[in-house]
Amino acid sequence: MRVGVLTGGGDCPGLNAVIRAVVRKGIEVHDWEFVGFRSGWQGPMTGQSRPLGLSDVEDILTRGGTILRSSRTNPYNVDGGVEKIRKVLADQSVDALIAIGGEDTLGVAKRLTDDGIGVVGVPKTIDNDLGATDYTFGFDTAVSIATEAIDRLHTTAESHHRALVVEVMGRHAGWIALHSGLAGGASVILVPERHFSVDQVVSWVERRFEKEYAPIIVVAEGALPEGGEEKLLTGEKDAFGHVRLGGIGTWLADEIATRTGKESRAVVLGHVQRGGTPTAYDRVLATRFGLHAVDAVADGDFGTMVALRGTDIVRVKLSEATAELKTVPVERYEEAEVFFG
């Protein structure tokens, strides 16, 4: 059997660990051949590919990013995109695909399966917002990076007795903000799932100053003030209809400074959260996902995604995994509020 592998969407720590696990098990257990398609779904549309052998994946476990590169290409937005994929797979004698990605990449995988192309999905996103799996790899690394940044910011905030607003990733789900904010001892955590009152935020900030502490506010990029609008870096949309968010941290820092009279600064972590070496947890989870994805291909169980349930790796339908985003439940956010201010 000849199997294609691709990584789509934003890069993420642990992608290379999945590729390594897939190739090693596929070759050593099943004697399969592997081809890596470059740049997400663009690869199988254009034929951009490279062979993947044992020597190609030997030393990539600890590397961030993806050796296959990535993109936000949507073949269903390209004229004849699906037929191009069919032709490339036939020309390169590829029998099945393993697609590693988030909601957009796996949404395409689900539609391709419906159109008769055999795909198995592996869940990847630092946002941890993909349905049907308890955790996605990349999330633990992103939270660890954000937490370390918050730890470092505490000392400079205290030194200058100023408020610091830390903007983290999270378009529609606030998992990174919630986990890093709790782990880093933030004074306020703001998530997209719950619109926030600027007056309440200012109250928490002032309470912190009254205790002679400098407040740290962690805000997800998609968080919204009551009656406000998303802060956009640009109005342009990608192939899946997403606009680039950004700016809520700077806006909120200015509001805090104006209303409290205290010095306030914003720190935007941006792509730092998704770069570099994956944590041990993400390496293990990504490896387990890769091993089980090979089993799914061997069983011909296409249209499925490997998922973490408790401590077990199971298979779920791609339709279930992409049906809706996994957002922060209200009760999870409310239990954290006891630490605010």
Side-chain angles (χ1 to χ4, degrees):
M1 178 177 279
R2 188 171 169 85
V3 179
V5 183
L6 64 87
T7 55
D11 66 295
C12 174
L15 284 167
N16 287 322
V18 179
I19 297 169
R20 172 178 176 269
V22 165
V23 172
R24 288 192 61 173
K25 184 169 185 176
I27 291 176
E28 295 179 351
V29 175
H30 299 286
D31 198 29
W32 293 345
E33 292 182 3
F34 285 91
V35 56
F37 286 108
R38 295 181 182 273
S39 302
W41 291 113
Q42 182 179 328
M45 275 202 307
T46 61
Q48 300 177 61
S49 63
R50 55 170 289 186
L52 288 176
L54 292 177
S55 62
D56 298 303
V57 301
E58 184 64 33
D59 60 351
I60 66 173
L61 176 63
T62 61
R63 289 175 56 180
T66 165
I67 63 170
L68 296 179
R69 301 184 181 177
S70 190
S71 74
R72 298 188 184 277
T73 303
N74 183 354
Y76 285 92
N77 279 355
V78 176
D79 288 341
V82 175
E83 292 311 311
K84 291 177 181 178
I85 290 177
R86 288 188 198 278
K87 185 177 187 307
V88 167
L89 296 184
D91 289 345
Q92 299 196 19
S93 301
V94 173
D95 304 296
L97 284 173
I98 293 178
I100 311 165
E103 59 165 325
D104 296 327
T105 300
L106 297 185
V108 171
K110 189 267 180 187
R111 294 182 67 179
L112 288 175
T113 300
D114 292 343
D115 288 335
I117 298 174
V119 188
V120 169
V122 177
K124 168 242 63 168
T125 168
I126 65 169
D127 292 325
N128 198 42
D129 60 357
L130 197 60
T133 184
D134 291 348
Y135 284 97
T136 56
F137 69 87
F139 173 66
D140 186 71
T141 304
V143 169
S144 297
I145 292 170
T147 300
E148 181 181 355
I150 294 167
D151 290 345
R152 292 176 180 274
L153 290 170
H154 272 293
T155 58
T156 187
E158 294 292 347
S159 297
H160 295 275
H161 202 57
R162 61 167 61 127
L164 286 179
V165 180
V166 184
E167 182 181 315
V168 300
M169 286 186 170
R171 175 183 297 275
H172 300 298
W175 291 108
I176 294 177
L178 180 65
H179 281 239
S180 64
L182 281 172
S187 306
V188 182
I189 302 169
L190 305 174
V191 298
E193 292 86 345
R194 180 167 174 171
H195 294 187
F196 64 88
S197 162
V198 178
D199 290 337
Q200 178 64 76
V201 171
V202 169
S203 175
W204 281 324
V205 167
E206 290 178 329
R207 187 190 312 170
R208 195 67 174 165
F209 276 126
E210 289 169 0
K211 296 177 182 178
E212 291 299 314
Y213 290 105
I216 300 287
I217 301 92
V218 177
V219 57
E221 62 185 346
L224 286 171
E226 293 175 347
E229 297 180 348
E230 291 179 321
K231 303 300 178 183
L232 307 181
L233 285 179
T234 173
E236 296 179 3
K237 296 183 179 181
D238 65 19
F240 294 93
H242 302 309
V243 292
R244 290 180 60 192
L245 300 182
I248 186 65
T250 301
W251 178 85
L252 184 58
D254 290 342
E255 286 291 314
I256 291 172
T258 299
R259 299 190 187 204
T260 65
K262 299 286 188 179
E263 192 175 5
S264 181
R265 295 285 190 275
V267 177
V268 181
L269 297 186
H271 288 76
V272 170
Q273 296 157 89
R274 68 185 341 146
T277 301
T279 59
Y281 179 88
D282 278 339
R283 295 181 206 181
V284 172
L285 181 58
T287 297
R288 295 183 70 198
F289 277 158
L291 297 176
H292 282 263
V294 169
D295 292 340
V297 172
D299 293 341
D301 197 5
F302 301 120
T304 61
M305 180 192 82
V306 293
L308 181 69
R309 295 284 178 84
T311 58
D312 297 327
I313 306 296
V314 301
R315 298 177 200 168
V316 298
K317 294 294 185 184
L318 280 169
S319 56
E320 177 186 353
T322 58
E324 60 181 359
L325 290 177
K326 181 181 66 183
T327 55
V328 176
V330 173
E331 58 270 18
R332 286 289 299 277
Y333 180 78
E334 290 179 341
E335 71 183 13
E337 287 188 318
V338 68
F339 295 107
F340 292 180

